[in-house]
Amino acid sequence: MSPKNSYKLTVCPMTYVLDILGDKWTFLIIRDMLFKGCCRYQQFADSDEGVATNILASRLKKLVQHGLVTQCKDPNNGRQKLYHLTDKGLDLIPSILHLVKWSGNHDPETCLPETIQAYLESNFDQAVEYVRKEYAQMCQGNHQAAATVE
Amino acid sequence: MSPKNSYKLTVCPMTYVLDILGDKWTFLIIRDMLFKGCCRYQQFADSDEGVATNILASRLKKLVQHGLVTQCKDPNNGRQKLYHLTDKGLDLIPSILHLVKWSGNHDPETCLPETIQAYLESNFDQAVEYVRKEYAQMCQGNHQAAATVE
DNA sequence: AATATTAACTTGCATTTTGCAAGCTTTAAA
DNA sequence: TTTAAAGCTTGCAAAATGCAAGTTAATATT
């Protein structure tokens, strides 16, 4: 296709993503899942930024409704629930890593280590794959104990 | 560096970007600049999504304060102002194109043409460069008439 | 030179969303 | 059988948003 067409992106393509992610907290929830391994309500609630519990509940609900996140019972502990990213949610990794990279480049007080910055700069696609795989392993871990018990 | 470290991204790197972009309208303003060539207040105000004028004013101000956008007088028309993306703002192109791509992949009612979707899928970096160059040309155009007149 | 018009905001006010604290419900441990 | 933990829900004050109307400064018109 001619590159000319690639410039004809207009209105629609962003309204969908912004209806879902167009606020601070939704993004932070997904980041906490990916990078901090959060998968329980209380873990999100204890996050550094301090989400209000009602906002947290409504955002998790929205993410589940839109298919970015699934909710299931923790097989190890019936009074806990586990939240995990679906493939749809995982497909946001590149966007999020680019935003992290941008912050690293432009935030005068960034706390992103230079090694990671350099890694994102030179091996972006590899970083995406790495995060994806680490997350998959982590999710397995969340269910493994139960399997061992049975 | 070891990939292990790349997983240690924690809290900070996203709070900066989300403090600036953590709302629907800011993103849409930048998108309108990049893809629809908007550079005047009224053009943003007339945008399909319908920003309230006070919100628009506050968001443009914020973008200028954070250095993503510059404001200058239109050399052709002294009662108009021109808003343009800085390098810092342009560095968001990859993030935005990934979000567009995500929308194209996951919005059941997407209006993103398949050709563009495919282009983003196979030539992402090229698409980023293309958008960047088109934008630079367009900005030149905004000032050119004045140069011709003088 | 005086008046009208255009573009970019600003302001006031009603509505909506957020944030905080407290309470409720279900599950499991003691 | 009571106690506690985890995941929410509810009520209310504070902040952000959206809409309509007004203000200001730079042209264009008469």
Side-chain angles (χ1 to χ4, degrees), chain A residues 113-131:
Chain A
E114 281 183 32
T115 49
I116 294 182
Q117 183 72 27
Y119 185 62
L120 288 172
E121 214 75 53
S122 59
N123 297 72
F124 188 84
D125 293 347
Q126 195 180 320
V128 170
E129 276 317 298
Y130 183 75
V131 171

Side-chain angles (χ1 to χ4, degrees), chain A residues 72-92:
Chain A
C72 66
K73 256 193 181 177
D74 183 344
N76 303 320
N77 183 343
R79 67 184 163 189
Q80 285 194 331
K81 288 175 186 171
L82 295 176
Y83 291 94
H84 287 129
L85 288 165
T86 62
D87 285 341
K88 186 173 176 178
L90 288 168
D91 276 354
L92 287 169

